[in-house]
Amino acid sequence: MPGEELSELQMPHSVMAEQAVLGSMLIDERCVPSVIERLAPEDFYMRANRELYQVLYTMFSRFDTIDPVTVVDRMKQAGAYDDNTVPYLRQLMEITPTAANVLEYVDIVADKALLRRVGEAAGELGELVRAESGTASQILEAAEQRIYAIRQGRAARGLTPISEVIIDV
């Protein structure tokens, strides 16, 4: 959507893949479990897509029916609804060629999210080096821990919300 996350240096992302994942979830509810187990809301770069996915994620965890009507209602409840919501949902469903390829779209979104995490880690580590925030060994240890956390598919930010744990269980 226009006017989002504009900066001089955008992080890696694929608007088309994000939209195709969301469109697939809207046109074929059967693909939702496969998407939910592979993507988290923070894997979406565009704010509108992240908010919509968060609503879909929550609906799935509550065993709600996912279709355009119920999604609009839940977006209103979540405060993520505006005048562009209905046209944007319609657009997502129209531009998604098929839900059959959803896992390929998921792979693209996940890859871009991983690249962003690596870039964020590199930026943080660069700051540590510039500030000389420890010895070389300490900074190297911090770098190894951060990269290991990324490789393991978890953010090195702290505890995992119980809602995410319940879905996995």
mmCIF file of all heavy atoms in Angstrom, residues 51-52 54-56 58-60 62 64-65 67-82 85 89:
data_model
loop_
_atom_site.group_PDB
_atom_site.id
_atom_site.type_symbol
_atom_site.label_atom_id
_atom_site.label_comp_id
_atom_site.label_asym_id
_atom_site.label_seq_id
_atom_site.Cartn_x
_atom_site.Cartn_y
_atom_site.Cartn_z
ATOM 1 N N GLU A 51 -0.275 -6.571 9.732
ATOM 2 C CA GLU A 51 -1.499 -6.455 10.533
ATOM 3 C C GLU A 51 -2.547 -7.469 10.087
ATOM 4 O O GLU A 51 -3.199 -8.105 10.921
ATOM 5 C CB GLU A 51 -2.063 -5.038 10.443
ATOM 6 C CG GLU A 51 -1.231 -4.008 11.172
ATOM 7 C CD GLU A 51 -1.726 -2.583 10.972
ATOM 8 O OE1 GLU A 51 -2.642 -2.349 10.138
ATOM 9 O OE2 GLU A 51 -1.197 -1.681 11.653
ATOM 10 N N LEU A 52 -2.706 -7.629 8.786
ATOM 11 C CA LEU A 52 -3.672 -8.605 8.280
ATOM 12 C C LEU A 52 -3.266 -10.017 8.678
ATOM 13 O O LEU A 52 -4.090 -10.805 9.134
ATOM 14 C CB LEU A 52 -3.796 -8.493 6.754
ATOM 15 C CG LEU A 52 -4.655 -9.554 6.064
ATOM 16 C CD1 LEU A 52 -6.064 -9.613 6.652
ATOM 17 C CD2 LEU A 52 -4.688 -9.292 4.561
ATOM 18 N N GLN A 54 -1.489 -10.888 11.224
ATOM 19 C CA GLN A 54 -1.696 -11.029 12.669
ATOM 20 C C GLN A 54 -3.150 -11.381 12.962
ATOM 21 O O GLN A 54 -3.432 -12.244 13.801
ATOM 22 C CB GLN A 54 -1.308 -9.742 13.406
ATOM 23 C CG GLN A 54 -1.491 -9.826 14.913
ATOM 24 C CD GLN A 54 -0.583 -10.861 15.559
ATOM 25 O OE1 GLN A 54 0.629 -10.760 15.463
ATOM 26 N NE2 GLN A 54 -1.155 -11.858 16.208
ATOM 27 N N VAL A 55 -4.073 -10.747 12.262
ATOM 28 C CA VAL A 55 -5.496 -11.060 12.431
ATOM 29 C C VAL A 55 -5.769 -12.497 12.003
ATOM 30 O O VAL A 55 -6.440 -13.252 12.718
ATOM 31 C CB VAL A 55 -6.371 -10.053 11.647
ATOM 32 C CG1 VAL A 55 -7.815 -10.523 11.549
ATOM 33 C CG2 VAL A 55 -6.305 -8.672 12.304
ATOM 34 N N LEU A 56 -5.247 -12.900 10.843
ATOM 35 C CA LEU A 56 -5.447 -14.274 10.369
ATOM 36 C C LEU A 56 -4.834 -15.287 11.337
ATOM 37 O O LEU A 56 -5.434 -16.329 11.624
ATOM 38 C CB LEU A 56 -4.843 -14.442 8.973
ATOM 39 C CG LEU A 56 -5.510 -13.637 7.854
ATOM 40 C CD1 LEU A 56 -4.660 -13.676 6.594
ATOM 41 C CD2 LEU A 56 -6.914 -14.145 7.588
ATOM 42 N N THR A 58 -4.325 -14.924 14.565
ATOM 43 C CA THR A 58 -5.163 -14.982 15.774
ATOM 44 C C THR A 58 -6.444 -15.756 15.502
ATOM 45 O O THR A 58 -6.869 -16.573 16.325
ATOM 46 C CB THR A 58 -5.476 -13.557 16.269
ATOM 47 O OG1 THR A 58 -4.241 -12.890 16.538
ATOM 48 C CG2 THR A 58 -6.339 -13.569 17.504
ATOM 49 N N MET A 59 -7.064 -15.503 14.362
ATOM 50 C CA MET A 59 -8.297 -16.220 14.012
ATOM 51 C C MET A 59 -8.042 -17.717 13.947
ATOM 52 O O MET A 59 -8.842 -18.512 14.443
ATOM 53 C CB MET A 59 -8.851 -15.707 12.676
ATOM 54 C CG MET A 59 -9.404 -14.298 12.749
ATOM 55 S SD MET A 59 -9.963 -13.700 11.132
ATOM 56 C CE MET A 59 -11.461 -14.702 10.926
ATOM 57 N N PHE A 60 -6.928 -18.112 13.337
ATOM 58 C CA PHE A 60 -6.600 -19.532 13.233
ATOM 59 C C PHE A 60 -6.410 -20.139 14.624
ATOM 60 O O PHE A 60 -6.905 -21.227 14.903
ATOM 61 C CB PHE A 60 -5.335 -19.725 12.390
ATOM 62 C CG PHE A 60 -4.883 -21.151 12.330
ATOM 63 C CD1 PHE A 60 -5.511 -22.054 11.488
ATOM 64 C CD2 PHE A 60 -3.842 -21.600 13.124
ATOM 65 C CE1 PHE A 60 -5.105 -23.379 11.436
ATOM 66 C CE2 PHE A 60 -3.432 -22.926 13.076
ATOM 67 C CZ PHE A 60 -4.064 -23.817 12.233
ATOM 68 N N ARG A 62 -7.749 -19.342 17.284
ATOM 69 C CA ARG A 62 -9.047 -19.424 17.978
ATOM 70 C C ARG A 62 -10.041 -20.321 17.247
ATOM 71 O O ARG A 62 -11.211 -20.365 17.608
ATOM 72 C CB ARG A 62 -9.640 -18.032 18.123
ATOM 73 C CG ARG A 62 -8.845 -17.127 19.021
ATOM 74 C CD ARG A 62 -9.484 -15.776 19.127
ATOM 75 N NE ARG A 62 -8.691 -14.901 19.961
ATOM 76 C CZ ARG A 62 -8.843 -13.601 20.024
ATOM 77 N NH1 ARG A 62 -9.769 -13.004 19.302
ATOM 78 N NH2 ARG A 62 -8.076 -12.876 20.798
ATOM 79 N N ASP A 64 -11.400 -19.818 14.440
ATOM 80 C CA ASP A 64 -12.422 -19.033 13.746
ATOM 81 C C ASP A 64 -12.422 -19.384 12.259
ATOM 82 O O ASP A 64 -11.382 -19.737 11.692
ATOM 83 C CB ASP A 64 -12.143 -17.532 13.878
ATOM 84 C CG ASP A 64 -12.306 -17.015 15.297
ATOM 85 O OD1 ASP A 64 -12.939 -17.709 16.118
ATOM 86 O OD2 ASP A 64 -11.787 -15.920 15.589
ATOM 87 N N THR A 65 -13.566 -19.234 11.630
ATOM 88 C CA THR A 65 -13.658 -19.389 10.189
ATOM 89 C C THR A 65 -12.952 -18.203 9.544
ATOM 90 O O THR A 65 -13.150 -17.056 9.951
ATOM 91 C CB THR A 65 -15.135 -19.403 9.742
ATOM 92 O OG1 THR A 65 -15.782 -20.515 10.382
ATOM 93 C CG2 THR A 65 -15.274 -19.517 8.238
ATOM 94 N N ASP A 67 -12.662 -16.137 6.257
ATOM 95 C CA ASP A 67 -13.152 -15.739 4.948
ATOM 96 C C ASP A 67 -13.196 -14.202 4.949
ATOM 97 O O ASP A 67 -13.029 -13.585 6.008
ATOM 98 C CB ASP A 67 -14.510 -16.368 4.624
ATOM 99 C CG ASP A 67 -15.638 -15.929 5.531
ATOM 100 O OD1 ASP A 67 -15.645 -14.768 6.002
ATOM 101 O OD2 ASP A 67 -16.540 -16.745 5.787
ATOM 102 N N PRO A 68 -13.390 -13.577 3.812
ATOM 103 C CA PRO A 68 -13.323 -12.113 3.763
ATOM 104 C C PRO A 68 -14.263 -11.404 4.749
ATOM 105 O O PRO A 68 -13.888 -10.388 5.341
ATOM 106 C CB PRO A 68 -13.686 -11.784 2.317
ATOM 107 C CG PRO A 68 -13.249 -13.000 1.554
ATOM 108 C CD PRO A 68 -13.532 -14.158 2.469
ATOM 109 N N VAL A 69 -15.446 -11.926 4.959
ATOM 110 C CA VAL A 69 -16.407 -11.281 5.856
ATOM 111 C C VAL A 69 -15.927 -11.346 7.302
ATOM 112 O O VAL A 69 -15.918 -10.336 8.015
ATOM 113 C CB VAL A 69 -17.811 -11.923 5.711
ATOM 114 C CG1 VAL A 69 -18.782 -11.329 6.732
ATOM 115 C CG2 VAL A 69 -18.336 -11.733 4.298
ATOM 116 N N THR A 70 -15.512 -12.523 7.752
ATOM 117 C CA THR A 70 -15.054 -12.660 9.142
ATOM 118 C C THR A 70 -13.749 -11.909 9.370
ATOM 119 O O THR A 70 -13.524 -11.357 10.446
ATOM 120 C CB THR A 70 -14.883 -14.141 9.532
ATOM 121 O OG1 THR A 70 -13.936 -14.757 8.661
ATOM 122 C CG2 THR A 70 -16.215 -14.882 9.476
ATOM 123 N N VAL A 71 -12.898 -11.876 8.362
ATOM 124 C CA VAL A 71 -11.626 -11.162 8.495
ATOM 125 C C VAL A 71 -11.866 -9.668 8.665
ATOM 126 O O VAL A 71 -11.245 -9.023 9.526
ATOM 127 C CB VAL A 71 -10.693 -11.458 7.289
ATOM 128 C CG1 VAL A 71 -9.483 -10.536 7.287
ATOM 129 C CG2 VAL A 71 -10.256 -12.921 7.312
ATOM 130 N N VAL A 72 -12.765 -9.099 7.872
ATOM 131 C CA VAL A 72 -13.082 -7.668 8.006
ATOM 132 C C VAL A 72 -13.597 -7.384 9.410
ATOM 133 O O VAL A 72 -13.189 -6.404 10.052
ATOM 134 C CB VAL A 72 -14.098 -7.215 6.931
ATOM 135 C CG1 VAL A 72 -14.670 -5.838 7.252
ATOM 136 C CG2 VAL A 72 -13.437 -7.198 5.557
ATOM 137 N N ASP A 73 -14.485 -8.236 9.911
ATOM 138 C CA ASP A 73 -15.023 -8.048 11.258
ATOM 139 C C ASP A 73 -13.916 -8.080 12.307
ATOM 140 O O ASP A 73 -13.856 -7.235 13.196
ATOM 141 C CB ASP A 73 -16.064 -9.130 11.554
ATOM 142 C CG ASP A 73 -16.720 -8.930 12.904
ATOM 143 O OD1 ASP A 73 -17.340 -7.859 13.112
ATOM 144 O OD2 ASP A 73 -16.586 -9.842 13.758
ATOM 145 N N ARG A 74 -12.995 -9.054 12.201
ATOM 146 C CA ARG A 74 -11.899 -9.165 13.177
ATOM 147 C C ARG A 74 -10.908 -8.008 13.048
ATOM 148 O O ARG A 74 -10.335 -7.566 14.034
ATOM 149 C CB ARG A 74 -11.135 -10.482 13.017
ATOM 150 C CG ARG A 74 -11.931 -11.731 13.312
ATOM 151 C CD ARG A 74 -12.650 -11.706 14.663
ATOM 152 N NE ARG A 74 -13.364 -12.921 14.941
ATOM 153 C CZ ARG A 74 -14.561 -13.244 14.441
ATOM 154 N NH1 ARG A 74 -15.173 -12.434 13.613
ATOM 155 N NH2 ARG A 74 -15.139 -14.377 14.774
ATOM 156 N N MET A 75 -10.725 -7.510 11.822
ATOM 157 C CA MET A 75 -9.830 -6.364 11.638
ATOM 158 C C MET A 75 -10.413 -5.122 12.312
ATOM 159 O O MET A 75 -9.682 -4.328 12.897
ATOM 160 C CB MET A 75 -9.547 -6.119 10.159
ATOM 161 C CG MET A 75 -8.669 -7.218 9.571
ATOM 162 S SD MET A 75 -8.139 -6.905 7.900
ATOM 163 C CE MET A 75 -6.851 -5.685 8.205
ATOM 164 N N LYS A 76 -11.733 -4.982 12.248
ATOM 165 C CA LYS A 76 -12.382 -3.862 12.943
ATOM 166 C C LYS A 76 -12.160 -3.997 14.445
ATOM 167 O O LYS A 76 -11.816 -3.025 15.114
ATOM 168 C CB LYS A 76 -13.877 -3.836 12.630
ATOM 169 C CG LYS A 76 -14.187 -3.349 11.235
ATOM 170 C CD LYS A 76 -15.686 -3.376 10.956
ATOM 171 C CE LYS A 76 -15.972 -2.925 9.537
ATOM 172 N NZ LYS A 76 -17.402 -3.016 9.192
ATOM 173 N N GLN A 77 -12.346 -5.209 14.967
ATOM 174 C CA GLN A 77 -12.153 -5.442 16.401
ATOM 175 C C GLN A 77 -10.705 -5.181 16.831
ATOM 176 O O GLN A 77 -10.465 -4.705 17.931
ATOM 177 C CB GLN A 77 -12.527 -6.885 16.770
ATOM 178 C CG GLN A 77 -14.003 -7.173 16.663
ATOM 179 C CD GLN A 77 -14.318 -8.648 16.901
ATOM 180 O OE1 GLN A 77 -13.485 -9.393 17.393
ATOM 181 N NE2 GLN A 77 -15.523 -9.057 16.538
ATOM 182 N N ALA A 78 -9.763 -5.481 15.951
ATOM 183 C CA ALA A 78 -8.340 -5.318 16.276
ATOM 184 C C ALA A 78 -7.845 -3.896 16.049
ATOM 185 O O ALA A 78 -6.695 -3.586 16.331
ATOM 186 C CB ALA A 78 -7.507 -6.299 15.449
ATOM 187 N N GLY A 79 -8.717 -3.037 15.509
ATOM 188 C CA GLY A 79 -8.302 -1.661 15.230
ATOM 189 C C GLY A 79 -7.408 -1.559 14.006
ATOM 190 O O GLY A 79 -6.694 -0.573 13.834
ATOM 191 N N ALA A 80 -7.439 -2.562 13.144
ATOM 192 C CA ALA A 80 -6.600 -2.574 11.948
ATOM 193 C C ALA A 80 -7.415 -2.300 10.689
ATOM 194 O O ALA A 80 -6.952 -2.525 9.583
ATOM 195 C CB ALA A 80 -5.898 -3.924 11.826
ATOM 196 N N TYR A 81 -8.614 -1.795 10.855
ATOM 197 C CA TYR A 81 -9.514 -1.547 9.730
ATOM 198 C C TYR A 81 -9.472 -0.073 9.351
ATOM 199 O O TYR A 81 -9.446 0.805 10.208
ATOM 200 C CB TYR A 81 -10.949 -1.941 10.118
ATOM 201 C CG TYR A 81 -11.959 -1.708 9.023
ATOM 202 C CD1 TYR A 81 -12.204 -2.695 8.081
ATOM 203 C CD2 TYR A 81 -12.650 -0.512 8.918
ATOM 204 C CE1 TYR A 81 -13.129 -2.496 7.067
ATOM 205 C CE2 TYR A 81 -13.574 -0.303 7.906
ATOM 206 C CZ TYR A 81 -13.807 -1.288 6.983
ATOM 207 O OH TYR A 81 -14.706 -1.089 5.979
ATOM 208 N N ASP A 82 -9.440 0.183 8.039
ATOM 209 C CA ASP A 82 -9.606 1.550 7.551
ATOM 210 C C ASP A 82 -10.363 1.485 6.225
ATOM 211 O O ASP A 82 -10.804 0.416 5.803
ATOM 212 C CB ASP A 82 -8.265 2.288 7.432
ATOM 213 C CG ASP A 82 -7.308 1.642 6.432
ATOM 214 O OD1 ASP A 82 -7.768 1.006 5.460
ATOM 215 O OD2 ASP A 82 -6.094 1.778 6.624
ATOM 216 N N THR A 85 -9.331 -1.224 3.648
ATOM 217 C CA THR A 85 -9.298 -2.640 4.013
ATOM 218 C C THR A 85 -10.054 -3.519 3.026
ATOM 219 O O THR A 85 -9.496 -4.493 2.502
ATOM 220 C CB THR A 85 -9.836 -2.855 5.445
ATOM 221 O OG1 THR A 85 -9.007 -2.113 6.347
ATOM 222 C CG2 THR A 85 -9.828 -4.319 5.821
ATOM 223 N N LEU A 89 -8.380 -6.276 0.526
ATOM 224 C CA LEU A 89 -8.670 -7.712 0.598
ATOM 225 C C LEU A 89 -9.130 -8.224 -0.766
ATOM 226 O O LEU A 89 -8.710 -9.308 -1.209
ATOM 227 C CB LEU A 89 -9.733 -7.998 1.656
ATOM 228 C CG LEU A 89 -9.345 -7.741 3.114
ATOM 229 C CD1 LEU A 89 -10.516 -8.055 4.037
ATOM 230 C CD2 LEU A 89 -8.125 -8.544 3.514
#
